[in-house]
């Protein structure tokens, strides 16, 4: 019988092979490094690769597994972190020519949690400069491209992580999301992801985008996202905003579901018309949830002031980034980021305080809406992926990336959990992503609902690459 290629697995499958001893951490890491060697130059998924460190860590993990003493289920599994997050011994360049190339002296909490679990961090994935926009290109390394069609953008700002996940350049990937930066690339690349409740995953140093920024998993499946959350949601005293600790098993979703739950279907937001094939996918997902026992109704939250609030907070965050950069060096930065910073610099302290007050009022209004609805189902993005190297689709009147992301940033304002679920492709082969949001701290329930959607979604295959290892005896 032919052995299944690693490329057909998700992380959970691979973990089972590591546990069974049919695949070693060394083989898994070498396979990921081969994939990076094959495709990274063309697609720009990784900003930095640490092959020597990855091989050492894989060898250590192999010895622990052989001795029957793995540190966790993901011991020996190849993973990546985004190049906004510190990794000791590797620079945090943030996609910028003005950042230092000196190695970070300590691990961020998320990185430390992955290491403590025995995960093998193979490198840092690409981001736009300081993660400021919803596509992935930057002045330091250029354009990151969609793995399904290199003419298209993978989205952003966690675009590098999305490319890596699709091509098997590692199996669990950290994204960050301050306006949609996990969900946008998941939608454009056909992946699963979770923007957890703010404070569920510790973050240090804090993001310039403050209360908008969330860290979370990106992977090939919802169960993989749960597997990663089991590790990265652990507390760290450096982050004072943490949610209460939760020691239960993230991967146990057997008894959960959507039966008896009330789900609002949200179809219209912003000025961009919903692509008809994405609208049809949304209807299919709603029908699947209804079949699974949910009460599904058409209802939209009131988000009319969300963009104005988001713009002020985003521009203020951009201004705080650029304010630290000497004027002589700003010419090396992304002009779009500089334009946002200029608008943020024109804001006074009162405007910023008023925006934060408005954010809290908006969050309260959304909580009232969700008191009557367990979940909100919507598109992640109303359009499919467009040409790489552009912030907005060419030939449109759109000016800024939030113009085409009206379903994502409202949930950053409210800080509630949202899962991204792939739902097939358009007729021309571009991926469709839907999202399902829940009440604050209902992260597990959101993952369980997303798993119901995932089970009903159109089946997919993954890109094949020559010379890959095989997961012998895959469970």
């Amino acid at each position: 019988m032919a052995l299944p290629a690693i490329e057909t697995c998700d992380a959970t499958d691979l973990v089972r092979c590591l546990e069974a001893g049919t695949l070693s951490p060394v083989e898994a890491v070498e396979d990921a490094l081969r994939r990076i060697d094959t495709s990274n130059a063309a697609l720009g998924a990784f900003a930095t690769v640490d092959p020597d460190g990855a091989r050492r860590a894989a060898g250590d993990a192999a010895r622990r597994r052989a001795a029957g003493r793995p540190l966790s289920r993901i011991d020996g599994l190849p993973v990546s972190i985004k190049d906004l997050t510190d990794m000791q011994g590797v620079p945090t360049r943030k996609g910028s020519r003005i950042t230092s190339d000196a190695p970070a002296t300590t691990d961020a909490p998320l990185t430390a949690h992955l290491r403590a679990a025995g995960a093998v961090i193979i490198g840092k994935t690409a981001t736009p400069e300081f993660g400021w926009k919803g596509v992935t290109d930057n002045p330091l390394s250029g354009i990151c491209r969609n793995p399904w069609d290199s003419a298209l953008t993978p989205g952003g700002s966690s675009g590098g992580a999305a490319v890596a996940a699709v091509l098997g350049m590692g199996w669990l990937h950290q994204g960050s999301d301050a306006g949609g930066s996990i969900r946008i690339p998941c939608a454009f690349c056909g992946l699963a992801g979770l923007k957890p409740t703010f404070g569920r995953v510790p973050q240090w140093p804090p993001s310039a985008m403050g209360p908008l920024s969330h860290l979370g998993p990106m992977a090939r499946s919802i169960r993989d996202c749960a597997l990663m959350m089991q590790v990265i949601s652990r507390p760290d005293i450096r982050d004072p905003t943490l949610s209460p600790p939760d020691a239960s098993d993230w991967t146990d979703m057997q008894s959960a579901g959507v039966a008896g739950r009330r789900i609002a279907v949200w179809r219209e937001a912003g000025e961009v018309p919903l692509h008809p094939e994405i609208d049809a996918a949304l209807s299919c997902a709603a029908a699947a949830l209804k079949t699974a026992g949910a009460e599904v109704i058409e209802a939209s939250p009131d988000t009319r002031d969300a963009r104005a609030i988001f713009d002020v907070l985003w521009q203020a965050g951009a201004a705080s980034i650029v304010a630290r950069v000497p004027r002589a060096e700003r010419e090396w930065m992304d002009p779009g980021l500089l334009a946002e910073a200029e608008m943020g610099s024109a804001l006074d302290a009162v405007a910023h305080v008023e925006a934060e007050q408005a954010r809290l009022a908006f969050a309260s209004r959304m909580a009232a809406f969700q008191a009557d609805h367990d979940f909100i189902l919507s598109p992640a993005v109303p359009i499919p992926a467009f040409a790489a190297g552009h912030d907005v689709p060419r030939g449109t009147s759109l000016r800024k990336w939030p113009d085409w992301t009206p379903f994502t940033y409202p949930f950053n304002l409210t800080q509630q959990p949202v899962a991204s679920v792939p739902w097939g492709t358009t007729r021309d082969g571009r991926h469709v992503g839907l999202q399902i949001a829940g009440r604050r701290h209902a992260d597990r329930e959101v993952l369980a609902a997303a798993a119901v959607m995932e089970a009903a979604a159109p089946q997919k295959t993954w890109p094949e690459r020559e010379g890959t290892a095989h997961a012998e005896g895959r469970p």
Side-chain angles (χ1 to χ4, degrees):
M1 186 173 86
L3 302 177
I6 284 183
E7 60 209 21
T8 67
C9 298
D10 66 3
T12 304
D13 287 329
L14 213 65
V15 163
R16 290 172 179 167
C17 293
L18 292 172
E19 291 172 337
T22 57
L23 183 76
S24 78
V26 172
E27 291 172 321
V29 167
E30 290 298 337
D31 183 81
L33 292 173
R34 279 196 297 270
R35 292 165 186 270
I36 293 170
D37 286 344
T38 298
S39 301
N40 195 57
L43 298 178
F46 277 84
T48 306
V49 182
D50 182 23
D52 293 340
R55 288 182 172 115
R56 284 193 301 271
D60 292 343
R63 286 185 284 275
R64 289 192 296 270
R65 290 244 178 226
R69 295 194 298 271
L71 297 174
S72 76
R73 289 199 68 204
I74 67 168
D75 196 349
L77 189 72
V79 305
S80 76
I81 64 170
K82 186 176 177 179
D83 195 26
L84 298 179
T85 301
D86 285 346
M87 173 182 176
Q88 186 175 10
V90 176
T92 306
R93 295 304 306 271
K94 303 182 180 182
S96 181
R97 295 171 65 192
I98 60 93
T99 53
S100 172
D101 60 1
T105 58
T106 189
D107 282 336
L110 180 144
T111 313
H113 289 338
L114 288 170
R115 283 198 206 274
V120 178
I121 305 173
I122 56 177
K124 305 185 75 174
T125 53
T127 174
E129 191 167 26
F130 293 96
W132 83 272
K133 61 183 177 180
V135 295
T136 303
D137 57 69
N138 64 62
L140 183 64
S141 58
I143 299 172
C144 182
R145 297 181 178 277
N146 195 300
W148 300 97
D149 182 345
S150 61
L152 302 177
T153 178
S157 63
S158 307
V163 177
V166 170
L167 294 182
M169 301 172 174
W171 297 93
L172 297 175
H173 304 273
Q174 176 246 321
S176 62
D177 189 319
S181 292
I182 287 173
R183 293 159 288 154
I184 297 165
C186 282
F188 283 178
C189 294
L191 295 167
L194 176 69
K195 180 190 79 66
T197 300
F198 183 81
R200 176 56 63 196
V201 176
Q203 185 170 186
W204 186 264
S207 168
M209 299 308 174
L212 303 179
S213 180
H214 306 58
L215 305 184
M218 298 170 63
R220 289 186 167 192
S221 66
I222 292 297
R223 65 181 185 172
D224 286 0
C225 292
L227 183 68
M228 190 168 181
M229 284 297 293
Q230 185 72 31
V231 172
I232 65 175
S233 64
R234 295 168 184 170
D236 187 290
I237 60 172
R238 289 174 284 180
D239 186 347
T241 68
L242 283 183
S243 303
D246 186 345
S248 53
D249 185 358
W250 281 84
T251 64
D252 182 12
M253 294 183 284
Q254 296 301 314
S255 61
V258 296
R261 300 300 188 99
R262 185 174 168 88
I263 301 176
V265 180
W266 178 25
R267 292 183 189 270
E268 296 183 4
E271 302 299 323
V272 179
L274 185 58
H275 188 283
E277 291 178 74
I278 298 177
D279 190 30
L282 185 64
S283 294
C284 287
L289 290 166
K290 186 174 182 179
T291 298
E295 178 187 0
V296 180
I297 63 169
E298 299 278 338
S300 301
D302 179 3
T303 62
R304 57 191 161 183
D305 57 346
R307 176 64 184 275
I309 300 167
F310 180 78
D311 280 349
V312 171
L313 297 175
W314 198 257
Q315 290 160 10
S320 73
I321 292 169
V322 174
R324 306 184 192 116
V325 181
R327 289 191 177 276
E329 297 180 10
R330 294 180 189 179
E331 64 183 72
W332 300 339
M333 299 181 71
D334 187 323
L337 173 57
L338 294 176
E340 288 292 297
E342 183 177 1
M343 288 183 282
S345 297
L347 298 167
D348 60 20
V350 172
H352 189 272
V353 170
E354 288 178 344
E356 177 58 17
Q357 291 173 336
R359 183 190 72 79
L360 293 172
F362 174 68
S364 178
R365 193 166 73 237
M366 183 70 86
F369 180 83
Q370 291 240 222
D372 294 327
H373 307 89
D374 297 284
F375 303 108
I376 302 172
L377 173 68
S378 74
V381 187
I383 58 174
F386 51 87
H390 299 271
D391 292 357
V392 299
R394 290 179 293 180
T396 69
S397 61
L398 305 180
R399 295 177 56 249
K400 297 183 178 182
W401 69 269
D403 293 345
W404 52 267
T405 61
F407 293 98
T408 55
Y409 60 76
F411 294 115
N412 295 86
L413 298 175
T414 62
Q415 302 183 332
Q416 62 199 95
V418 193
S420 185
V421 183
W423 199 277
T425 63
T426 60
R427 282 187 291 272
D428 61 4
R430 292 178 291 171
H431 282 83
V432 173
L434 306 179
Q435 66 179 17
I436 188 159
R439 298 167 184 143
R440 276 173 57 89
H441 306 296
D443 302 70
R444 297 173 194 282
E445 290 87 346
V446 166
L447 283 175
V452 172
M453 291 173 60
E454 182 181 59
Q459 298 221 337
K460 71 185 304 175
T461 57
W462 299 101
E464 294 186 1
R465 290 291 180 268
E466 294 181 358
T468 58
H470 287 77
E472 183 177 354
R474 172 188 166 191

